[in-house]
């Protein structure tokens, strides 16, 4: 078996869905060993699930996990961050701290940790659960190049990673953080349209989901602008341009843009 990519001990404060995705990615990609991961959560069932599924260390004591770890990933809801920082405070100064809480700024985490912490802010999304995630990272002032490489390795175990300025992370939240829900709704609507036209439900859902997956892969693989790919499907006087015309009548593009805007503004509100 290959040696782990990183030797750092990683503590997850919060054993929810995203922590589960990251633990699974780290272990399946042999990025680190189960013995180097510790997850905490006040809900015992969540800890038990991680322990039985992955064999990692678990418990309810945040302070023990933080004292043990080299890297601390704050995988809790935004509204829980103040309480976690109040509990752990200066204990975080020895570790590299990664927060995945929407809207919570690097400055807020640094100040909550006593003003001297190395902090990276991350915004992953739920397809990380199947190793198809998209994560944006923003780096705090005293984070080293080695720290950046380590954090990239962690999140690349569950998908793709981009680096952005922190001021853009709310927009990332509105686009890729919330975006899977928009796409799920689009798949549901496409399938409903197929059912309306007589297709069996299961067939319609398969057609819709694979169509979205294939189209997304074409964008990534080709590197071409989506509009060019769209134009290749829409032949003059054909079926596709008729469908696109109806989407334009329903303000399809403007509605998606407004959804990203609304989610971005909500992310900013959570950070205040």
């Amino acid at each position: 078996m290959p040696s782990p990519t990183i030797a750092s001990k990683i503590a997850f404060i919060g054993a929810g869905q995203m922590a589960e995705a990251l633990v699974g990615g780290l272990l399946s990609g042999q990025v680190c060993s189960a013995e180097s991961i510790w997850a905490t959560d006040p809900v015992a069932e969540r800890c038990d699930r991680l322990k039985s599924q992955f064999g990692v260390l678990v418990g309810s004591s945040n302070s023990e996990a933080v004292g043990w770890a080299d890297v601390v990933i704050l995988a809790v809801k935004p509204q829980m961050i103040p309480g976690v920082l109040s509990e752990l405070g200066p204990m975080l100064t020895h570790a590299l701290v990664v927060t995945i809480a929407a809207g919570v700024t690097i400055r807020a985490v640094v100040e909550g940790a006593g003003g001297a912490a190395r902090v990276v802010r991350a915004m992953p999304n739920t397809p990380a659960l199947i190793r198809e995630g998209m994560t944006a990272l923003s780096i705090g002032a005293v984070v080293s190049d080695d720290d950046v490489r380590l954090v990239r390795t962690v999140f690349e175990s569950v998908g793709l990673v981009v680096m952005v300025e922190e001021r853009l992370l709310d927009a990332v939240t509105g686009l890729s953080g919330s975006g899977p829900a928009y796409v799920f709704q689009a798949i549901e609507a496409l399938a409903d349209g197929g059912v309306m036209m007589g297709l069996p439900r299961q067939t319609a859902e398969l057609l819709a989901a694979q169509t979205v997956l294939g189209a997304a892969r074409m964008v990534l693989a080709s590197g071409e602008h989506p509009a060019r790919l769209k134009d290749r499907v829409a032949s003059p006087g054909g079926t596709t341009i008729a469908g696109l015309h109806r989407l334009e009548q329903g303000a399809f593009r403007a509605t998606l843009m407004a959804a990203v805007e609304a989610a971005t503004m909500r992310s900013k509100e959570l950070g205040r």
Side-chain angles (χ1 to χ4, degrees), residues 84-118:
V84 169
L85 293 177
S86 176
E87 174 193 359
L88 299 175
M91 287 188 65
L92 294 168
T93 57
H94 81 281
L96 172 61
V97 181
V98 181
T99 172
I100 62 174
V104 178
T105 65
I106 291 172
R107 179 178 178 181
V109 177
V110 170
E111 290 179 350
R118 295 141 54 214

Side-chain angles (χ1 to χ4, degrees), residues 170 174-175 182 254-267:
D170 290 315
L175 175 53
Y182 315 153
T255 300
L256 281 177
M257 291 167 68
V260 174
E261 180 183 32
T264 298
M265 299 311 295
R266 179 56 181 154
S267 179

Side-chain angles (χ1 to χ4, degrees), residues 2 21 29 32 42 60 64 89 93 108 116 119 138 151-152 165 180 191 193 201 207 220 247 260 267:
C32 61
S60 59
E64 282 187 51
T93 57
V119 179
S138 184
V151 176
R152 284 196 68 115
E165 297 177 36
R201 167 65 62 183
L207 287 166
L220 293 175
L247 288 176
V260 174
S267 179

Side-chain angles (χ1 to χ4, degrees), residues 50 67 76 147 198 228 258 263:
L50 284 184
V76 298
D147 290 336
R228 290 183 60 117

Side-chain angles (χ1 to χ4, degrees), residues 45 186 253 262 266:
E45 290 81 2
R253 289 188 294 180
R266 179 56 181 154

